[in-house]
Amino acid sequence: MNTPLVPQPEPPKPEALRLEQKRAGAKTFFDFGEESLRYGLDDGNASRTWTIEYAELAVERERFVERNTWWRNVGAIWVVLGAVLTSMDWAKTQVFGLSIWLPLGAACLVWYVMRIRRYIVVPSPRANVLVIDDASAAGILAEIDRRRAAQLRDRFDYLSPDESPEQQRHRVLWLQRQGSLDDHEVSARLLQIDLMAQSPSADPRQGEHDE
């Protein structure tokens, strides 16, 4: 039977929360449930939805920039077409007349450069969670980190008689790297593990009392 490293009162259940984003034709939503995140992305071409447990979300962050290459391709074709037609008209009439395709193509290229979608990526085995990189991104990422850390702590902050002290130390240090334990908590838990290793009958809460 696993023993909690530090007996604590039952934490309050996290409240359900929904956050949404919209930028450059892309929409995202984040439904924060008790045990998992329901995440959706609509990029204008397709709409997808996933349900991911918080513990599956990586602590690492990546960045992704997306542009619609259709505007670039069409713009380049129209610019070339406009330049050719303008040159042909000049050769025939010796009068400069700008083909309408030239400014239309230039406008498409400007739109391609300006219409950029920037995302912060939260990797997971099930699906990468794309958070639009805008003013609301920091709050969404902080909520993900908070719930992820709490779930990992709830699942892995324990002592197991089936594990060696070294395995238990590795798990505590891993929880620290995941943001689930702070430096004080890590020190207290490592002390508890050392006391248990020295005296198997010792109270696992003794290290916390000594703190």
Side-chain angles (χ1 to χ4, degrees), residues 98-134:
L98 190 64
S99 170
I100 192 173
W101 295 109
L102 199 56
L104 285 177
C108 288
L109 292 176
V110 171
W111 186 252
Y112 165 75
V113 172
M114 294 180 60
R115 195 174 175 83
I116 299 175
R117 298 170 181 167
R118 290 186 171 87
Y119 298 97
I120 300 172
V121 183
V122 183
S124 81
R126 191 181 303 271
N128 287 335
V129 175
L130 301 183
V131 181
I132 296 174
D133 191 2
D134 61 8

Side-chain angles (χ1 to χ4, degrees), residues 14 28 31-32 43 61 68-69 74 105 108 128 136 143 162 175-176 180 189 201 205:
T28 60
D31 285 332
F32 292 92
D43 61 6
R61 301 289 184 263
N68 190 333
T69 57
V74 170
C108 288
N128 287 335
S136 66
E143 188 66 23
D162 298 325
L175 285 172
Q176 182 185 33
S180 298
R189 282 152 179 73
S201 61
R205 294 169 294 180

Side-chain angles (χ1 to χ4, degrees), residues 133-155:
D133 191 2
D134 61 8
S136 66
I140 292 171
L141 293 172
E143 188 66 23
I144 289 175
D145 288 340
R146 184 180 72 83
R147 295 182 183 241
R148 176 181 179 277
Q151 189 171 82
L152 288 174
R153 179 169 176 154
D154 182 61
R155 293 182 178 181

Side-chain angles (χ1 to χ4, degrees), residues 10 19 25 33 40 46 53 55 70 82 89 91 102 106 123 139 148 155-156 162 178 184 197 201:
E10 185 71 20
L19 299 174
E53 288 193 343
W70 185 89
D89 187 59
L102 199 56
R148 176 181 179 277
R155 293 182 178 181
F156 299 107
D162 298 325
Q178 303 308 309
H184 174 78
S201 61

Side-chain angles (χ1 to χ4, degrees), residues 10-84:
E10 185 71 20
K13 299 295 184 181
E15 295 183 359
L17 175 66
R18 181 182 179 93
L19 299 174
E20 299 179 351
Q21 294 178 295
K22 182 178 180 181
R23 182 177 181 180
K27 300 177 183 178
T28 60
F29 72 83
F30 305 85
D31 285 332
F32 292 92
E34 182 177 331
E35 296 291 336
S36 60
L37 170 69
R38 184 169 176 268
Y39 155 71
L41 170 66
D42 185 345
D43 61 6
N45 297 316
S47 179
R48 290 148 287 184
T49 303
W50 297 269
T51 299
I52 306 170
E53 288 193 343
Y54 299 115
E56 295 182 272
L57 298 168
V59 71
E60 296 83 7
R61 301 289 184 263
E62 301 171 3
R63 291 190 178 270
F64 170 62
V65 177
E66 181 182 57
R67 289 187 174 96
N68 190 333
T69 57
W70 185 89
W71 293 103
R72 181 198 62 190
N73 297 339
V74 170
I77 292 172
W78 286 357
V79 165
V80 172
L81 176 61
V84 170

